Amino acid sequence: MASDDLLQAHVVPFGDNSVLLDNVPPLDPTLYSLSPEEAAFFKATTAIDDDEALKAHILLAQEKAYRVAPYPCIYGFTFLRMAITRQPKYDDIVRMGRERENAIFLDIGCCFAVDARKAASDGFPAHRIITSDLKKEFFEIGHILFRTTKDTWPAHFVPGDALDPQILSVVPPTRAVTQKPMPDLSTLTSLNPLQGHCAVINAAAFFHLFNEEQQLHLARALAGLLSPEPGSIICGAHAGKEEKGICTSQILGSQYEFFCHSPQSWREMWDGIVFEKGEVEVRAILKEIVLPMGRNMKSLSWSITRL
């Protein structure tokens, strides 16, 4: 980038162990790429059909976001990847939005809410979508990226720390149709009024930001938001291991440690600890993926479905 202010030290929140980046590396536009499916989506949603013009537009949004928080997902363009579409039950998610009365979609740790935007483009009603992130600036940058306004993108945004009980508290999973009234989504300042109401909760690249105890806390909190109706789902993907434990990696040149679940420990946490045994179907698969920066990592792709 031309601006030197991007190269100053920056603290990146990473669970309870924030990472100090001594020198934030400049953005590298050569890492930019779109698959045919991604290109079609962004062309349709931005109304920019020219490849070079679209690239320039996305690079502008990336630069604005990188100034807010130099996260690896922003540096490496993984925010473009529409991760939710790789969920085996993605078609069921979209179908719930079309067919289930008052179905609510929550995208937590949403960044620019690309997953939520993709689900809306495929038929999930946007006015029943809630997005949430620690960085409130990401909501406005999402409008820049998709060239929308609050009128043309009627989804709702709740900024805040997911570990703050005023934003997201732990309650037991709802086991009968909730008697709580459906909240007015347009006035939400907390996720707690959604308890027992969410048909879909998307938590992509979210859990690995927290330690083991916090991951269990957040799993319980999200379980409390989930509707008891069969088919209701929590899904996502994040860093994982073959055996649960501490992973060590590099974040834009700085080393950091974080806790990773294995497929087995992830299944055991959700089916038997968070939910009673047999209440949910847990899918958890570990995959090797290649990051844009040329590094390999193991990704745990998962879904939790109410039975």
Side-chain angles (χ1 to χ4, degrees):
M1 308 304 302
S3 302
D4 291 336
D5 58 352
L6 284 182
L7 306 181
Q8 297 174 357
H10 193 104
V11 175
V12 176
F14 207 84
D16 57 352
N17 295 307
S18 296
V19 178
L20 175 63
L21 302 182
D22 294 324
N23 291 288
V24 176
L27 292 171
D28 181 358
T30 66
L31 298 176
Y32 172 86
S33 67
L34 290 176
S35 70
E37 294 78 14
E38 291 159 356
F41 170 68
F42 281 100
K43 287 179 179 180
T45 51
T46 63
I48 300 174
D49 196 52
D50 178 78
D51 289 332
E52 288 304 312
L54 179 62
K55 177 180 178 180
H57 175 72
I58 290 173
L59 291 179
L60 176 64
Q62 180 202 31
E63 179 180 351
K64 289 180 180 297
Y66 203 61
R67 292 178 185 277
V68 173
Y71 292 159
C73 64
I74 295 172
Y75 179 86
F77 294 99
T78 53
F79 66 88
L80 300 174
R81 300 300 167 233
M82 306 187 308
I84 195 170
T85 62
R86 293 191 288 277
Q87 287 289 335
K89 294 191 176 184
Y90 178 65
D91 289 344
D92 294 336
I93 288 171
V94 174
R95 188 178 303 110
M96 268 193 287
R98 291 196 301 261
E99 299 178 359
R100 183 186 292 188
E101 184 179 4
N102 294 323
I104 293 175
F105 180 112
L106 170 64
D107 192 0
I108 191 165
C110 64
C111 195
F112 310 137
V114 170
D115 281 350
R117 299 264 189 166
K118 174 58 176 169
S121 75
D122 288 335
F124 205 106
H127 68 277
R128 295 208 306 269
I129 291 176
I130 309 294
T131 60
S132 183
D133 201 283
L134 181 64
K135 298 291 187 180
K136 62 182 180 181
E137 296 91 340
F138 285 163
F139 183 66
E140 295 305 324
I141 296 172
H143 279 311
I144 293 170
L145 177 60
F146 288 99
R147 304 175 77 193
T148 53
T149 67
K150 293 179 180 178
D151 292 329
T152 58
W153 171 241
H156 316 283
F157 181 71
V158 178
D161 184 346
L163 294 174
D164 179 354
Q166 296 300 312
I167 297 296
L168 180 60
S169 63
V170 173
V171 297
T174 302
R175 294 187 167 89
V177 176
T178 180
Q179 299 303 309
K180 296 178 182 178
M182 181 70 66
D184 180 352
L185 303 185
S186 67
T187 64
L188 285 181
T189 58
S190 166
L191 300 178
N192 291 331
L194 298 176
Q195 288 165 353
H197 287 297
C198 291
V200 180
I201 302 172
N202 183 52
F206 177 69
F207 274 93
H208 64 204
L209 302 176
F210 304 94
N211 64 34
E212 183 176 11
E213 180 182 356
Q214 290 169 334
Q215 289 191 33
L216 176 57
H217 171 90
L218 289 166
R220 284 177 162 144
L222 293 183
L225 299 180
L226 195 64
S227 166
E229 292 188 55
S232 299
I233 186 171
I234 310 173
C235 62
H238 54 255
K241 289 186 71 176
E242 292 179 359
E243 299 290 336
K244 77 171 186 175
I246 300 299
C247 292
T248 302
S249 189
Q250 295 284 323
I251 178 169
L252 302 181
S254 298
Q255 184 167 293
Y256 65 102
E257 294 183 342
F258 57 103
F259 178 79
C260 289
H261 271 284
S262 69
Q264 178 179 347
S265 67
W266 193 248
R267 284 190 289 266
E268 291 172 348
M269 181 182 75
W270 287 97
D271 187 18
I273 299 177
V274 175
F275 289 96
E276 291 182 2
K277 193 75 174 174
E279 281 189 313
V280 292
E281 173 191 81
V282 181
R283 170 191 166 274
I285 299 174
L286 199 62
K287 300 178 180 180
E288 188 88 16
I289 63 172
V290 180
L291 298 175
M293 294 79 83
R295 292 187 296 108
N296 288 1
M297 70 166 283
K298 292 187 184 298
S299 175
L300 185 65
S301 175
W302 56 273
S303 61
I304 316 298
T305 308
R306 290 297 300 253
L307 297 175

